[in-house]
Amino acid sequence: GAMGGSASLIPRDLLGEYQELTFLSKQEILLAYKRFSELLPKEERENACSVRVPKSQILTLPELRANPFQHRICHVFSTSETRDDSMSFEDFLDMLSVFSDSATSDIKSHYAFRIFDFDEDGTLDRKDLEQLVNCLTGQGEESRLSSAEMEQLIKNILEESDIDKDGTINLSEFQHVVSRSPDFASSFKIVL
């Protein structure tokens, strides 16, 4: 029937491969496929495994719409060669895999670091931290921090995290901080 047939659109060998390459269960992969293909125009749905969904469509997912790092998340998981942050089904699965409950906190923290590294230079410097704080506090006038508050906050973050005192946080410093905050992994989560 037309209703129950969508699962068969992922070839079985691919399904097995996706299970091996991600932290997702077969059920989660099929659900992800359903959600992904619903972002496509009807006539493209049968090729959901091979087409890219534009970033604007990905951002309509309620799970991302509410996420202050939605743009960075699309950017980090997109493999688009034109750098338009569009996603293939495999990009989408990678994202869900990292954000799933079953992903290790090492993997989560590695991707969180990439998402927070706004200028993509491999370290979190003051500018990255400022953007990070702005994302978290929201850009509204009433929620935005004064420059003195921002200065103090970044000073605190660096004091806590910057072990070699070079003024930036590298991946291992970041992972060290994360390992001490038990709620990090559970906050870094998207469940469809």
Side-chain angles (χ1 to χ4, degrees):
M3 289 308 291
S6 65
S8 58
L9 292 174
I10 299 187
R12 183 162 298 156
D13 52 339
L14 258 187
L15 191 57
E17 202 178 306
Y18 290 153
Q19 275 176 269
E20 279 171 42
L21 295 173
T22 65
F23 294 101
L24 304 170
S25 68
K26 185 174 165 181
Q27 268 12 76
E28 290 172 315
I29 292 167
L30 293 173
L31 177 61
Y33 184 83
K34 181 175 179 296
R35 293 292 300 275
F36 186 79
S37 55
E38 284 166 359
L39 296 172
L40 290 165
K42 288 210 166 40
E43 61 278 6
E44 286 185 31
R45 285 187 188 163
E46 19 227 65
N47 315 322
C49 276
S50 57
V51 295
R52 303 189 71 87
V53 166
K55 174 182 175 178
S56 56
Q57 279 299 99
I58 299 285
L59 292 178
T60 63
L61 289 164
E63 297 78 14
L64 276 178
R65 219 171 26 218
N67 192 304
F69 303 103
Q70 41 173 255
H71 296 288
R72 291 292 307 152
I73 291 170
C74 285
H75 185 69
V76 164
F77 288 98
S78 169
T79 56
S80 163
E81 286 173 8
T82 61
R83 299 184 67 75
D84 62 0
D85 297 353
S86 63
M87 280 197 191
S88 66
F89 179 56
E90 295 187 3
D91 295 345
F92 187 65
L93 275 187
D94 277 339
M95 172 182 81
L96 291 178
S97 176
V98 168
F99 281 100
S100 78
D101 270 339
S102 324
T104 63
S105 65
D106 250 15
I107 296 245
K108 284 181 185 290
S109 57
H110 174 83
Y111 277 94
F113 184 82
R114 286 185 56 195
I115 288 165
F116 299 160
D117 181 12
F118 289 87
D119 59 8
E120 304 190 353
D121 65 353
T123 63
L124 305 186
D125 56 24
R126 304 182 74 94
K127 223 163 170 40
D128 292 322
L129 294 174
E130 212 165 293
Q131 282 186 266
L132 174 58
V133 172
N134 280 334
C135 278
L136 290 170
T137 54
Q139 297 289 331
E141 283 307 303
E142 58 294 335
S143 57
R144 200 185 272 144
L145 298 182
S146 71
S147 46
E149 290 168 323
M150 178 69 87
E151 193 48 46
Q152 189 54 51
L153 185 55
I154 286 176
K155 210 177 131 200
N156 295 351
I157 295 173
L158 286 170
E159 260 163 33
E160 280 286 290
S161 326
D162 179 18
I163 298 164
D164 62 12
K165 298 295 171 223
D166 67 350
T168 65
I169 302 170
N170 62 33
L171 178 60
S172 61
E173 289 169 337
F174 182 75
Q175 289 186 312
H176 180 69
V177 174
V178 165
S179 68
R180 294 180 311 177
S181 60
D183 51 350
F184 171 76
S186 59
S187 65
F188 202 68
K189 189 162 93 178
I190 294 177
V191 179
L192 284 182

